[in-house]
Amino acid sequence: MTPHTAQNWPIAAAMLPFPSSQDASGETWTQQLAQVAYEGFTEVDLTDSWVQVGDLDSHRLSSMDECLASVGLRPIAISVIRRSVIHPVEGVENLRYSHRTIDAAAALGIRVMSIGLHRALTPAQRDAHWFWTEPGPSDDTSPETWRLAAMRIRELGRHAEELGIQLSLEMYEDTLIGTVDGALRLVDDVDLPNVGINPDLANLYRLHRDVEDFLESSARCAPRANYWHVKSYFRDVDRTRDLITTVPAPMEYGSMNYRAAIASAISGGFSGPFCVEHYGGDGLSVAARNREYLQRMIAVAMGEAYRRVNERVAKGS
């Protein structure tokens, strides 16, 4: 495999900015995907809040493949959102759905699938301006729940491994993988080479409460990470008034120091794809800006920035 550079490192757009389009026509899919390509992306994450490819029949799955090819987008990942396999009521069906999605991913040539243990938004979260300002469901942390999570994720991991797919566990608050320790523990318990961490630490950083240090967390996750959702937030902490607030921000302007985090992660062994996300407003345009920023930060982390400056200086001398 050719080593990644800042120019060819896979950076996907999430389909989060688009509405649920499960029953839309192929023409609608193409128009939506064309917007992603128009913003300069060559890779895409088929986020299942947009289309649940695991529930498409063979004809519709072929149509999706044709739509992607027609706009020149390569699907490099699928993110399965809010389908916890340890949900006390829906866990078994979510497990079946995840298996179907692995098969669909293989049919589309996708090599990474991200899953999490977070559940559907509560009514209060759906009604809030920013859903993370309202508390959501919390995982039971009993030994039985840990064993169930490891068993079901291991089952998915083995299925994915047979098809050449990496399984990535997305960090999310109040789940078993809502802390670095929890994420590392579950990956260790699953104990498969193709199962790693998706250190989406922004899911935690945006909370209106104390959180783990971003740079320390990203450095600890990097050796076990195989995919990375990235986004940022402005975060303000006023201890005198016991007030913490966050709002979405482009990566280069937000309070999360991705310049340092990416350098640390790459030096720590991270080599997986990135997926750029953003909530609110024109999320796709911000995601495109995040991609450009990410490419610059990868160049810095890999020493390419230094080489390019030297070449420019040499040409000018």
Side-chain angles (χ1 to χ4, degrees):
M1 185 174 68
T2 303
H4 291 329
T5 66
Q7 290 75 37
N8 67 19
W9 201 298
I11 302 173
M15 292 302 288
L16 287 170
F18 296 93
S20 175
S21 302
Q22 185 70 12
D23 298 322
S25 66
E27 181 180 3
T28 296
W29 288 348
T30 300
Q31 290 172 349
Q32 292 167 328
L33 292 166
Q35 294 181 55
V36 176
Y38 182 70
E39 293 295 336
F41 286 96
T42 54
E43 289 93 14
V44 66
D45 178 313
L46 300 183
T47 321
D48 78 344
S49 58
W50 175 61
V51 173
Q52 300 87 57
V53 296
D55 287 339
L56 298 178
D57 61 28
S58 58
H59 174 74
R60 293 275 282 165
L61 197 60
S62 295
S63 177
M64 175 63 72
D65 195 30
E66 292 167 2
C67 293
L68 289 160
S70 72
V71 299
L73 281 177
R74 181 167 68 102
I76 61 169
I78 289 178
S79 288
V80 173
I81 307 296
R82 303 189 183 282
R83 294 289 193 122
S84 171
V85 297
I86 58 169
H87 189 288
V89 177
E90 301 165 5
V92 172
E93 174 49 38
N94 289 342
L95 180 64
R96 294 185 185 124
Y97 168 78
S98 298
H99 276 296
R100 295 195 301 272
T101 306
I102 290 171
D103 288 331
L108 292 169
I110 292 170
R111 290 293 171 259
V112 178
M113 182 166 127
S114 175
I115 65 171
L117 297 178
H118 40 310
R119 309 180 202 173
L121 296 175
T122 66
Q125 286 178 312
R126 289 196 298 270
D127 289 343
H129 184 72
W130 301 120
F131 64 82
W132 55 86
T133 62
E134 292 289 339
S138 298
D139 280 345
D140 171 50
T141 58
S142 68
E144 292 77 18
T145 303
W146 278 98
R147 284 194 292 270
L148 180 65
M151 179 183 69
R152 289 183 173 173
I153 293 171
R154 190 180 303 115
E155 177 184 325
L156 291 173
R158 285 173 174 157
H159 182 186
E161 188 175 32
E162 291 171 358
L163 298 173
I165 294 172
Q166 295 278 311
L167 196 66
S168 196
L169 309 184
E170 180 182 355
M171 296 179 67
Y172 198 92
E173 78 266 13
D174 300 325
T175 68
L176 297 186
I177 44 180
T179 64
V180 176
D181 284 345
L184 292 172
R185 174 184 171 183
L186 190 53
V187 167
D188 283 341
D189 288 350
V190 172
D191 194 24
L192 290 175
N194 68 315
V195 177
I197 298 172
N198 172 359
D200 192 344
L201 296 163
N203 287 343
L204 312 177
Y205 192 83
R206 68 192 175 196
L207 300 176
H208 289 194
R209 64 196 198 213
D210 289 336
V211 296
E212 294 180 292
D213 182 79
F214 170 59
L215 291 179
E216 179 183 344
S217 297
S218 58
R220 290 182 64 199
C221 289
R224 310 299 296 278
N226 56 4
Y227 190 42
W228 195 353
H229 288 173
V230 290
K231 53 184 176 283
S232 193
Y233 294 84
F234 293 116
R235 181 178 174 91
D236 185 49
V237 180
D238 185 342
R239 296 296 182 194
T240 62
R241 293 189 292 168
D242 194 25
L243 178 67
I244 299 175
T245 58
T246 62
V247 292
M251 287 174 66
E252 62 189 301
Y253 299 137
S255 302
M256 304 171 75
N257 185 353
Y258 274 105
R259 180 182 291 264
I262 290 166
S264 174
I266 289 176
S267 67
F270 177 72
S271 60
F274 289 93
C275 175
V276 287
E277 300 180 323
H278 185 78
Y279 285 102
D282 182 357
L284 182 57
S285 288
V286 177
R289 188 182 190 109
N290 285 346
R291 182 197 70 245
E292 294 168 359
Y293 168 79
L294 192 52
Q295 287 170 331
R296 298 202 314 272
M297 294 306 100
I298 293 170
V300 170
M302 299 185 73
E304 292 181 31
Y306 178 72
R307 290 194 296 273
R308 289 183 206 173
V309 169
N310 275 353
E311 289 170 2
R312 189 167 63 203
V313 171
K315 287 179 181 178
S317 60

